[in-house]
Amino acid sequence: MVGSKTLLPPAVLKIEILYLIQSYNMSRQFESGIKATYKHQGVKYFPFNSEPGTSYVLTSDPWAYLRAWIDQQINSTQGDKKKRLTKAKYFAEQAESFQIAAEKTRLPTKATLTYYSLLNLTKGFLSVKGLELEKKEESHGISLGNNSDELTVLGPLKNCTNIFLEFSKHLGKPIQGKHKVNISDVICDIPEIHELGFTLGKISQRKYLPVTIDFLTNDDKTKIFTELSFRKENDARLQIEKFYKNNRKKYFKLRDTEENGDSIYRSIKRKNYTHDNFPRIYKNICKEYKELDISILLTRDGYKYYVNLKPNAYHQLANLLMMAFYMGSLARYRPTKTQEILGGEMYPLITEIIDTCPRQFLYKIVSLTTESVCAVPKAKI
């Protein structure tokens, strides 16, 4: 003791000094950021090509919202675009009818009806986005091979529209030629059932890291950048070392590791912006995030975000469409395999996929189609 002060042991003192130096260096390297706003609204990340600061479109009936939106577009356009929108409305109505029928039956028939609902939603989305349907023969783009645990994903087809290929392209994860995919790899990449699959031992390692994404500006509001953060508690649950790799390593730099161990990564590039070009800059950043393997889930509190630490080659919606195709095809052509699944350990996962995932698919496709943020009112969950 020296007076009322306690001298720290040399080893502890060294750690404290190193921590202060690290904090000082980080503070010099990264200026403070403030939450970005646009037209006085907070700016959040959404993968729907929506405007910055957009508000949730709260609806308990996304089918009705989709029809009303398409009707507005039909009434304000003409020519080929109007024809495509009219087809999109037809596909949306077909999708809703299939889903209503699916809800009134049970597996395995329910799987077939669910797939055709998702397929028609997909075709409606593609029609809105400019794909001409009916002019060529159309293919699902997926087939069930001799091995009942595999799907064959088709590449480009001559004089034929490949629906799955076109869908994957519009989602930002195009298909690279014909190949096979094991159904277990598809199941691992459906975030809605991931925790259930892990708990039941059907998924060996968790790989969805919950993250927070913030849009920030500098004090002068001339630069915009993003930060992605996650909690220390995930270290014990996930292979965190897989986060800072590949495209994410190119895109982010560690800004800080807080005292509680939480990690904060900041985008390396800071983009110049003005009020006039903010929407374009915002949409470009959201497009860049498509390369970072971010998955989304709709919850009672809005959309939640997860980094897929070990993704397969497909978008999360494409994985769900594949799984629905798989179960629908088994129901029609493979009764023995269907009975094996329905009477085995996979049954809880399959029922969860068929019961829960179509609703998630619907809200996300409606959001992508209308370029708005469609969500469920809390009172309806």
Side-chain angles (χ1 to χ4, degrees):
M1 297 285 290
V2 179
S4 60
K5 296 182 178 178
T6 302
L7 295 176
L8 294 172
V12 176
L13 183 61
K14 182 178 179 181
I15 292 173
E16 290 289 331
I17 292 172
L18 289 174
Y19 178 78
L20 289 171
I21 292 173
Q22 183 184 31
S23 299
Y24 175 72
N25 288 336
M26 282 187 172
S27 66
R28 293 188 65 190
Q29 187 177 3
F30 296 98
E31 63 180 316
S32 61
I34 58 176
K35 292 292 181 69
T37 61
Y38 182 71
K39 295 183 179 179
H40 308 293
Q41 297 292 320
V43 176
K44 298 180 180 179
Y45 166 67
F46 295 109
F48 306 129
N49 200 37
S50 52
E51 295 295 315
T54 190
S55 298
Y56 282 121
V57 176
L58 298 177
T59 174
S60 57
D61 189 356
W63 298 109
Y65 170 61
L66 179 60
R67 287 195 304 272
W69 182 88
I70 294 175
D71 280 337
Q72 283 185 340
Q73 303 302 308
I74 290 173
N75 293 333
S76 63
T77 191
Q78 56 187 352
D80 289 341
K81 185 176 180 181
K82 186 167 188 173
K83 292 178 182 178
R84 290 196 302 271
L85 288 165
T86 302
K87 290 178 187 178
K89 182 179 179 182
Y90 171 83
F91 289 131
E93 291 171 345
Q94 284 286 93
E96 183 179 11
S97 296
F98 276 120
Q99 190 55 42
I100 290 171
E103 290 168 358
K104 294 179 180 179
T105 188
R106 59 183 181 177
L107 289 169
T109 306
K110 187 172 185 176
T112 299
L113 295 172
T114 296
Y115 170 66
Y116 281 109
S117 176
L118 269 54
L119 176 65
N120 276 276
L121 262 176
T122 299
K123 292 173 72 172
F125 164 70
L126 292 173
S127 292
V128 170
K129 296 304 177 183
L131 182 65
E132 292 286 355
L133 296 170
E134 290 191 292
K135 291 194 173 182
K136 298 179 183 177
E137 182 181 349
E138 294 172 13
S139 167
H140 297 277
I142 324 167
S143 65
L144 183 64
N146 294 328
N147 184 343
S148 294
D149 294 322
E150 282 186 344
L151 289 174
T152 298
V153 178
L154 307 178
L157 301 171
K158 188 175 181 180
N159 297 321
C160 183
T161 301
N162 182 328
I163 299 299
F164 188 75
L165 182 145
E166 295 293 339
F167 187 45
S168 296
K169 187 190 303 181
H170 277 82
L171 293 174
K173 279 201 167 186
I175 292 169
Q176 304 298 326
K178 181 179 178 180
H179 58 280
K180 295 185 182 299
V181 57
N182 193 289
I183 203 66
S184 62
D185 293 332
V186 180
I187 289 175
C188 287
D189 274 72
I190 298 177
E192 289 88 342
I193 54 96
H194 192 74
E195 190 63 26
L196 177 62
F198 176 79
T199 303
L200 293 176
K202 299 304 174 186
I203 297 173
S204 60
Q205 178 69 50
R206 290 185 179 100
K207 62 178 185 175
Y208 283 98
L209 171 65
V211 297
T212 299
I213 300 169
D214 291 309
F215 276 75
L216 304 171
T217 67
N218 60 349
D219 291 337
D220 295 334
K221 296 186 178 180
T222 58
K223 307 277 188 181
I224 187 167
F225 43 92
T226 59
E227 285 187 346
L228 186 152
S229 59
F230 51 86
R231 303 293 301 273
K232 172 68 176 176
E233 64 198 39
N234 290 295
D235 288 6
R237 303 173 63 251
L238 296 146
Q239 295 175 299
I240 295 297
E241 68 277 5
K242 292 185 179 295
F243 170 79
Y244 200 51
K245 291 185 179 294
N246 304 323
N247 288 334
R248 290 187 296 274
K249 189 171 185 178
K250 298 175 185 177
Y251 197 85
F252 294 111
K253 193 168 186 178
L254 179 65
R255 178 178 76 78
D256 197 6
T257 301
E258 298 184 333
E259 289 186 12
N260 62 1
D262 292 356
S263 297
I264 304 173
Y265 287 82
R266 178 174 289 187
S267 58
I268 295 172
K269 293 182 180 180
R270 303 189 313 155
K271 299 180 184 288
N272 296 320
Y273 82 97
T274 64
H275 182 271
D276 291 337
N277 72 6
F278 192 96
R280 177 174 61 82
I281 301 299
Y282 166 79
K283 290 182 179 182
N284 285 341
I285 293 174
C286 291
K287 188 180 298 184
E288 292 168 358
Y289 263 69
K290 288 184 177 181
E291 305 296 325
L292 304 179
D293 296 310
I294 307 292
S295 297
I296 61 173
L297 282 180
L298 179 58
T299 72
R300 63 176 290 109
D301 298 313
Y303 285 94
K304 302 295 183 182
Y305 304 93
Y306 301 83
V307 170
N308 188 340
L309 297 174
K310 194 178 178 182
N312 66 15
Y314 313 98
H315 189 277
Q316 68 176 108
L317 294 178
N319 279 297
L320 182 51
L321 186 61
M322 273 197 290
M323 194 63 205
F325 172 87
Y326 174 73
M327 285 307 302
S329 297
L330 288 186
R332 298 194 304 280
Y333 307 120
R334 303 290 171 82
T336 302
K337 182 65 176 181
T338 299
Q339 291 301 320
E340 176 189 324
I341 290 175
L342 297 183
E345 296 177 346
M346 290 292 291
Y347 180 71
L349 289 179
I350 298 304
T351 56
E352 195 67 29
I353 289 171
I354 298 302
D355 287 343
T356 301
C357 294
R359 192 75 168 164
Q360 289 274 334
F361 191 93
L362 170 62
Y363 272 91
K364 292 166 191 172
I365 287 293
V366 171
S367 297
L368 284 166
T369 302
T370 62
E371 297 185 352
S372 58
V373 185
C374 192
V376 187
K378 285 188 178 182
K380 289 292 183 180
I381 294 182

